[in-house]
Amino acid sequence: MDRAAFRLILWGCFLFSVSSSPSLRTQNVDVYSFHINSTVTSRYATTTIRSRVANKLNESQEILFEVKIPKNAFISKFRMIIEGTSYDGVVKEKAEAQQQYTQAVSRGQSAGLIKSVGRTLEEFKTSVTVAALSKVTFELTYEELLKRRLGKYELLINAQPMQTVTDFKIEVHIHEKTGISFLEVKGDLSTDDLTNAIKTARADKDAWVTFYPTRDQQTKCKTCGENGLNGDLLITYDVERQNPNGEMTVSNGYFFHSFAPSDVSRIPKNVVFIIDRSGSMHGKKMEQTRLALLKILSDLGENDHFGLITFDSRVDLWKRELLKATQANLEDAKSFVKKIADRGATDINAAVLEGVNMITRHPREGTTSILILLTDGDPTSGETNTEKITGNVKEAIGSKFPLYCLGFGYDVNFDFLTKMSLENNGVARRIYEDSDADLQLQGFYDEVAVPLLTDIQLNYIGVSNLTQTSFNLYFNGSEIVVSGQITDNSVESVTTEIIAISKGSKVTYRDTVTAKDVSDVQAEHDNFLERLWAYLTVKQLLDRQVLLKGPEKEASRKEALNLSLKYQFVTSLTSMVVTKPQENQTEVSDKPKEGESPDRPPAHRPVSHGFTLVGSAGWIPDDPPMVGAHFRPARIDSIQIDDPPSDITDEVWMDIDSTDIWELASVSSTQSAPAIRFLIPADGQPKPLCFDVALPLKLKLLQDFASEFSMNGESMGSTNGFHQIIIRYKTNHQLTINTNSISYYDGQNNVQYLWGQEPTQHSQVGIYLILRSSELDVTMGNIRVVILLHKKNGDVFLWPAIRQQPKGVTLAGILGKADISYAEIQGSNTSTLKIMDKDVMVSLADVTDYRFPFAPVFKCWHVPFKAVMNGDISDFTVTQL
Ligand SMILES: *[C@@H]1O[C@H](CO)[C@@H](O)[C@H](O)[C@H]1NC(C)=O
Ligand SMILES: *[C@@H]1O[C@H](CO)[C@@H](O)[C@H](O)[C@H]1NC(C)=O
Ligand SMILES: *[C@@H]1O[C@H](CO)[C@@H](O)[C@H](O)[C@H]1NC(C)=O
Ligand SMILES: *[C@@H]1O[C@H](CO)[C@@H](O)[C@H](O)[C@H]1NC(C)=O
Ligand SMILES: *[C@@H]1O[C@H](CO)[C@@H](O)[C@H](O)[C@H]1NC(C)=O
Ligand SMILES: *[C@@H]1O[C@H](CO)[C@@H](O)[C@H](O)[C@H]1NC(C)=O
Ligand SMILES: *[C@@H]1O[C@H](CO)[C@@H](O)[C@H](O)[C@H]1NC(C)=O
């Protein structure tokens, strides 16, 4: 067995059944479909990974399912479907699951596992024995509340199907009711050859990202090879915030309140950096720390005061007092930083107490103080009892300001740092030993660089079971979120009140929102707010565990456990038990704890996650926001060309031309002739363009002479799309698609498919066809088209979406123009655009983008056909499909 071909790590004590270790030969296992579907509503992300795998051997073998999910997420569902039977994972209390697992192990069976990998991900892995020539479907769902950091939310999706997959797709839908202010797709899957597999669509409240890489592309990306894609999509976005009092979302008895003002003035801060220079910091770590400090010093605001402490077994101060961040002081501090050298042991206790002392000695009115400790090891000198240290520090700080602890590398006692920072209203963060450690340090500083409010208290009327409502500090770029239940579901409105201190004076934000009209959520996500509330409550209860003792700790643990069980979250208190079909095999999956070292030594960790994405090439999305009125196309009822003889077509169209179609298009009329509306993406412009083509028609949709590809479509009365589409390739190939069936003739044989049948695929040299329930994915040569089957108000129709075409070439046909640029002419009421050096009268219209299965509706500039298509409609019609 060729083990080297797989990036399998040894699973330590969990590799029990060596004899039945999963069969890993790619050639015997076909991952024929791999889909990731992520839905984000009010920052709450639910992601499902679905992988369908076939055993191609004529004997049974074990098939592996291995995926990576964000550490912050809770797995909430796992299912295997084998020969029509579903095997669902069940979330149980850890002890109970462990017992079941121990029994399984005593019978010599294997166990599944979730492992921490790298900085941001954990790996979920399981396997199952699949009979000869049979298939298995794996389905994993996880949920997380995206946190706002440095002014944005990040949704990280890792895709690694272990081989090239014919039917590969990622679909993301984001819905934010206040509007999405920007959206960017980054990550190592959005580079080079893969960017054209990514499509984004935006309306003001919604954004969609789809990723459909071809087989070819799956072997060409930077981080992929023989085994197909292996990388991340990182979708970053932020939301509009019109209401300074925060935004309230209410649905099904739960609410979510987010508060993130940015127009408050910055509070000058007093910051002390306490830097470990013990022997273990030797070399690169010390060097990166110096680099980061130099940069951080340059970023201090001029009204900030700062201090520097370095320590090993001895504690040294740059200056005895905090000094203002003037140019001269900064220069002096920088030369101090450049001389920091490693030596000696680690006296955390003395160093932190000195830092507290420096801050408290001279209180400054209207400022806020922050203590930042950076260390890479256990306390080894002075006071070394961690209990005593945390006690001393807590007493000295007395809740007056926060302490942030940065643990550098894996030799730190992260539990100790976590406890010490949580007890002092801060957080602990791990700094990974890697080439970008200096950037990680700076990134952390940037998050706390601009304090805007202190002592924030949020109050509500008529609610219960609230998550945390008081916060010490609010930093620019972050967000305060509270969720809870509405006590009386019949209440008409919810009142919110936020009291905080801004530069020494009290500020109050009050708001009353109608509970009725704030629920603006699609029916399928009806309970997302309840799950969001449960997620946040469990997270906070688990975080607080280290701060509690005795019965209080136990009560809070029980509550977190109850909710984890109720909502089927895999947390540190629960495990997922999967019973497999063979001999009732059981697997148990636990969530790893932050701070547990990964299996591989740090130097061998993949560097494809988290911070390595900084500075990678960005993707500029289409950007059509919604404004304005509805427009109906002009009435063009003089055109009737039911199968016209080819010699008449031209004449008819010449005629229309002379009646001035430009005028017609700008006349609003409620009665419209049947016409199909097309969308042209406009790169970098606020709205796409759209135009109408009157029915009935036979259209040349796309034609590439070089590769002998053509696609034509016909509509018989539908104003939405096509009833038949025919694709031809080379001399012999013909694919005929109508709304019932699909037939493919390859020159010799004819194959017939039906929409809605079991997913299937067909491949031969240069040609891939994949039929999913309502999508036919067609790759012929270097052109890839997806034909979508849509159903709308009883109308069934087809729509073609070009997923890939030769780069930088405009192909013939109505869809051949990839995009177009235009300028809105200032001064007029923006009903005139400059398109290809011509002034064009336009009007605002709605267009449905049927290139996506969810068919978003956009506002577009409705333009006359001739203004964008470089020709008459007759140039784009055919007499026969
Ligand atoms: C993705 O999830 C959404 C919401 O649950 C659902 O409507 C959609 O059909 C899913 N898409 C796929 C391809 O599974
Ligand atoms: C499996 O296939 C091999 C080679 O094709 C053949 O020799 C063997 O008899 C087959 N086994 C079964 C159980 O059909
Ligand atoms: C907060 O951040 C936003 C966005 O980066 C910026 O526009 C704003 O000026 C910042 N506010 C303060 C007080 O620095
Ligand atoms: C929520 O609060 C109510 C009291 O208002 C309580 O009866 C209920 O049990 C709580 N629910 C949960 C899940 O904690
Ligand atoms: C947890 O649930 C159990 C049974 O469902 C119940 O007896 C117990 O009171 C609950 N505990 C808490 C803290 O809600
Ligand atoms: C599997 O579990 C079922 C139900 O618990 C039991 O009836 C059956 O005997 C078990 N089979 C084996 C092989 O242990
Ligand atoms: C705005 O457009 C309308 C036609 O849609 C026109 O009648 C009006 O004069 C225009 N106003 C200005 C200021 O250009």
Side-chain angles (χ1 to χ4, degrees):
M1 187 175 294
D2 183 11
R3 278 173 185 279
F6 291 86
R7 340 136 292 97
L8 238 207
I9 310 125
L10 280 185
W11 296 102
C13 59
F14 285 90
L15 257 193
F16 279 96
S17 54
V18 175
S19 58
S20 68
S21 74
S23 172
L24 300 169
R25 283 176 181 277
T26 19
Q27 61 268 38
N28 294 333
V29 171
D30 180 25
V31 182
Y32 61 97
S33 161
F34 191 84
H35 291 180
I36 301 180
N37 187 1
S38 191
T39 310
V40 187
T41 312
S42 293
R43 343 321 188 214
Y44 197 64
T46 306
T47 305
T48 300
I49 303 176
R50 191 175 291 117
S51 170
R52 298 170 195 264
V53 189
N55 174 11
K56 295 200 292 184
L57 280 185
N58 63 1
E59 55 185 314
S60 71
Q61 65 170 328
E62 203 158 0
I63 289 180
L64 185 71
F65 174 69
E66 186 181 349
V67 293
K68 299 204 189 89
I69 68 164
K71 275 184 185 169
N72 235 352
F74 292 151
I75 287 175
S76 58
K77 189 173 165 192
F78 175 70
R79 164 175 288 185
M80 289 187 284
I81 305 163
I82 302 164
E83 281 157 15
T85 309
S86 295
Y87 300 88
D88 286 7
V90 181
V91 173
K92 298 198 169 169
E93 185 175 3
K94 211 164 201 167
E96 193 190 336
Q98 211 58 40
Q99 198 177 2
Q100 217 165 338
Y101 159 72
T102 312
Q103 285 167 2
V105 166
S106 68
R107 293 199 299 268
Q109 294 165 353
S110 62
L113 188 66
I114 311 170
K115 268 271 169 182
S116 188
V117 285
R119 300 170 188 176
T120 45
L121 296 167
E122 322 172 324
E123 189 158 47
F124 174 87
K125 187 188 113 151
T126 189
S127 67
V128 68
T129 305
V130 178
L133 305 170
S134 291
K135 294 173 178 175
V136 54
T137 300
F138 297 101
E139 210 176 284
L140 180 80
T141 301
Y142 59 87
E143 304 177 26
E144 69 190 306
L145 182 65
L146 305 179
K147 238 192 185 141
R148 188 166 184 255
R149 283 180 56 194
L150 301 173
K152 56 185 188 271
Y153 306 97
E154 293 188 342
L155 176 69
L156 178 69
I157 294 178
N158 179 273
Q160 185 182 14
M162 318 262 280
Q163 56 175 255
T164 54
V165 178
T166 315
D167 176 14
F168 188 130
K169 71 179 190 181
I170 300 179
E171 283 183 9
V172 179
H173 176 205
I174 300 170
H175 176 82
E176 293 286 352
K177 66 166 197 151
T178 61
I180 294 167
S181 62
F182 83 91
L183 176 83
E184 219 181 341
V185 183
K186 297 193 287 184
D188 44 19
L189 293 185
S190 92
T191 52
D192 310 332
D193 286 340
L194 286 169
T195 42
N196 66 15
I198 299 172
K199 298 273 180 273
T200 61
R202 284 180 60 187
D204 63 347
K205 296 178 179 179
D206 295 270
W208 293 268
V209 178
T210 61
F211 178 63
Y212 284 58
T214 59
R215 277 190 89 98
D216 209 31
Q217 285 172 321
Q218 290 173 44
T219 58
K220 281 194 186 142
C221 73
K222 207 172 55 194
T223 53
C224 56
E226 288 279 286
N227 295 340
L229 278 186
N230 174 6
D232 302 323
L233 271 192
L234 183 70
I235 296 156
T236 64
Y237 74 95
D238 198 13
V239 303
E240 298 286 356
R241 287 166 225 281
Q242 268 99 24
N243 188 344
N245 305 309
E247 285 297 339
M248 191 76 161
T249 306
V250 178
S251 171
N252 271 1
Y254 289 81
F255 78 89
F256 173 69
H257 186 212
S258 65
F259 177 65
S262 62
D263 53 356
V264 186
S265 57
R266 161 189 189 132
I267 306 174
K269 64 180 183 294
N270 312 304
V271 57
V272 175
F273 300 95
I274 307 169
I275 309 299
D276 188 338
R277 58 154 188 225
S278 60
S280 52
M281 287 286 285
H282 176 75
K284 187 135 191 158
K285 282 201 245 175
M286 200 73 254
E287 197 180 303
Q288 288 170 320
T289 303
R290 281 192 299 259
L291 255 174
L293 277 173
L294 291 174
K295 178 72 173 52
I296 289 169
L297 287 173
S298 310
D299 290 346
L300 285 174
E302 61 179 313
N303 291 324
D304 291 344
H305 283 70
F306 71 107
L308 289 167
I309 296 176
T310 61
F311 73 98
D312 46 84
S313 46
R314 195 180 83 200
V315 176
D316 285 335
L317 312 183
W318 163 58
K319 292 281 153 48
R320 292 205 50 75
E321 310 287 333
L322 295 192
L323 291 185
K324 202 164 177 207
T326 61
Q327 210 52 44
N329 286 339
L330 287 175
E331 286 313 315
D332 191 60
K334 284 180 186 173
S335 52
F336 174 81
V337 166
K338 286 176 190 154
K339 282 184 232 141
I340 301 176
D342 56 278
R343 44 160 292 201
T346 312
D347 188 349
I348 291 177
N349 187 58
V352 175
L353 292 181
E354 185 53 51
V356 177
N357 186 22
M358 273 172 85
I359 287 181
T360 45
R361 220 178 305 144
H362 298 289
R364 284 181 186 81
E365 197 64 14
T367 66
T368 187
S369 301
I370 297 172
L371 209 50
I372 300 177
L373 166 70
L374 173 75
T375 180
D376 75 334
D378 288 340
T380 54
S381 155
E383 180 59 70
T384 56
N385 178 329
T386 54
E387 287 277 311
K388 290 218 173 102
I389 300 176
T390 48
N392 291 345
V393 170
K394 189 173 178 195
E395 193 191 333
I397 292 181
S399 294
K400 289 192 290 290
F401 48 83
L403 166 67
Y404 296 98
C405 296
L406 304 177
F408 203 154
Y410 280 102
D411 296 330
V412 287
N413 181 341
F414 203 70
D415 280 348
F416 157 62
L417 295 183
T418 303
K419 177 155 196 247
M420 190 156 70
S421 35
L422 287 178
E423 279 187 349
N424 295 291
N425 303 304
V427 289
R429 185 72 66 76
R430 188 176 283 288
I431 301 296
Y432 295 88
E433 243 182 290
D434 214 330
S435 55
D436 66 343
D438 51 329
L439 296 178
Q440 297 175 51
L441 287 167
Q442 281 169 39
F444 173 78
Y445 172 76
D446 288 343
E447 284 179 51
V448 300
V450 185
L452 297 184
L453 296 170
T454 64
D455 308 289
I456 305 109
Q457 175 65 44
L458 297 96
N459 303 311
Y460 303 87
I461 295 172
V463 299
S464 69
N465 301 329
L466 291 172
T467 59
Q468 189 182 343
T469 53
S470 54
F471 301 85
N472 252 57
L473 271 168
Y474 162 69
F475 297 104
N476 200 19
S478 71
E479 179 178 51
I480 288 176
V481 297
V482 177
S483 181
Q485 299 173 7
I486 310 269
T487 337
D488 179 0
N489 222 350
S490 64
V491 292
E492 296 282 303
S493 63
V494 179
T495 302
T496 65
E497 180 194 60
I498 304 166
I499 300 169
I501 309 287
S502 158
K503 284 182 108 172
S505 49
K506 187 170 137 181
V507 286
T508 308
Y509 301 82
R510 270 199 203 93
D511 203 7
T512 299
V513 281
T514 315
K516 290 284 179 285
D517 61 9
V518 283
S519 82
D520 160 40
V521 172
Q522 300 101 313
E524 77 250 38
H525 309 306
D526 248 349
N527 72 343
F528 90 96
L529 269 190
E530 179 176 352
R531 298 194 69 87
L532 185 161
W533 166 82
Y535 172 96
L536 195 56
T537 305
V538 170
K539 276 265 167 201
Q540 292 179 353
L541 286 169
L542 293 176
D543 282 349
R544 277 168 47 82
Q545 281 285 297
V546 295
L547 301 179
L548 301 176
K549 282 200 190 75
E552 220 187 335
K553 181 170 184 164
E554 186 50 24
S556 133
R557 196 192 74 86
K558 275 232 175 82
E559 200 186 333
L561 175 63
N562 265 14
L563 289 174
S564 303
L565 292 174
K566 177 162 182 205
Y567 294 93
Q568 293 277 293
F569 291 144
V570 179
T571 66
S572 57
L573 305 175
T574 53
S575 301
M576 165 94 70
V577 178
V578 182
T579 303
K580 299 186 194 176
Q582 297 82 26
E583 299 103 41
N584 299 346
Q585 264 191 35
T586 303
E587 278 195 355
V588 176
S589 300
D590 291 341
K591 192 168 179 62
K593 197 170 132 197
E594 173 51 40
E596 269 173 14
S597 64
D599 326 280
R600 284 158 283 185
H604 295 250
R605 272 180 294 116
V607 290
S608 60
H609 310 118
F611 282 85
T612 50
L613 302 168
V614 170
S616 72
W619 164 255
I620 298 159
D622 303 342
D623 187 8
M626 289 180 144
V627 277
H630 190 79
F631 170 80
R632 306 289 303 190
R635 186 184 177 91
I636 317 180
D637 42 17
S638 59
I639 318 164
Q640 283 294 337
I641 34 170
D642 254 327
D643 261 348
S646 57
D647 51 340
I648 296 186
T649 326
D650 276 348
E651 238 179 82
V652 173
W653 285 99
M654 291 302 286
D655 206 49
I656 301 301
D657 227 19
S658 59
T659 64
D660 205 348
I661 201 165
W662 299 60
E663 284 275 2
L664 278 173
S666 58
V667 175
S668 291
S669 156
T670 44
Q671 248 189 329
S672 58
I676 293 186
R677 183 158 293 169
F678 288 85
L679 176 151
I680 311 177
D683 203 11
Q685 305 281 348
K687 289 185 200 53
L689 302 178
C690 56
F691 60 84
D692 289 351
V693 176
L695 291 177
L697 268 192
K698 296 190 174 110
L699 286 178
K700 186 193 292 174
L701 294 171
L702 190 71
Q703 186 162 25
D704 180 20
F705 297 104
S707 69
E708 297 173 69
F709 175 97
S710 75
M711 173 167 70
N712 297 331
E714 178 176 23
S715 177
M716 293 167 289
S718 165
T719 53
N720 294 307
F722 299 88
H723 292 109
Q724 187 165 66
I725 290 177
I726 293 183
I727 298 176
R728 290 192 182 79
Y729 181 58
K730 304 278 187 213
T731 34
N732 287 330
H733 302 271
Q734 178 169 329
L735 184 63
T736 306
I737 305 140
N738 63 42
T739 51
N740 293 317
S741 65
I742 295 149
S743 87
Y744 173 61
Y745 178 69
D746 69 358
Q748 286 168 330
N749 301 309
N750 204 41
V751 201
Q752 197 84 24
Y753 306 106
L754 290 176
W755 287 108
Q757 70 169 59
E758 166 84 347
T760 183
Q761 55 177 290
H762 174 93
S763 67
Q764 62 194 77
V765 180
I767 298 178
Y768 292 112
L769 306 179
I770 308 164
L771 177 64
R772 306 180 190 104
S773 61
S774 56
E775 290 178 27
L776 176 69
D777 196 327
V778 181
T779 306
M780 291 185 169
N782 52 9
I783 295 181
R784 185 176 187 199
V785 180
V786 175
I787 310 291
L788 296 102
L789 181 76
H790 285 280
K791 296 192 177 118
K792 185 177 172 185
N793 307 330
D795 185 18
V796 183
F797 59 94
L798 304 167
W799 194 265
I802 317 286
R803 292 290 177 193
Q804 196 190 355
Q805 65 183 70
K807 260 187 213 161
V809 187
T810 292
L811 298 183
I814 221 151
L815 303 174
K817 199 176 272 294
D819 67 33
I820 193 165
S821 63
Y822 67 81
E824 289 179 6
I825 292 178
Q826 294 298 318
S828 76
N829 50 19
T830 60
S831 54
T832 310
L833 303 184
K834 199 168 222 34
I835 305 173
M836 295 184 289
D837 289 331
K838 283 210 189 83
D839 290 358
V840 180
M841 286 276 284
V842 297
S843 46
L844 210 50
D846 284 331
V847 62
T848 307
D849 195 346
Y850 292 117
R851 295 175 305 163
F852 298 94
F854 32 81
V857 177
F858 297 122
K859 287 290 173 201
C860 60
W861 288 122
H862 189 266
V863 300
F865 182 84
K866 262 183 71 165
V868 287
M869 291 311 291
N870 279 339
D872 296 326
I873 290 185
S874 58
D875 297 335
F876 296 89
T877 53
V878 292
T879 50
Q880 240 185 334
L881 274 197

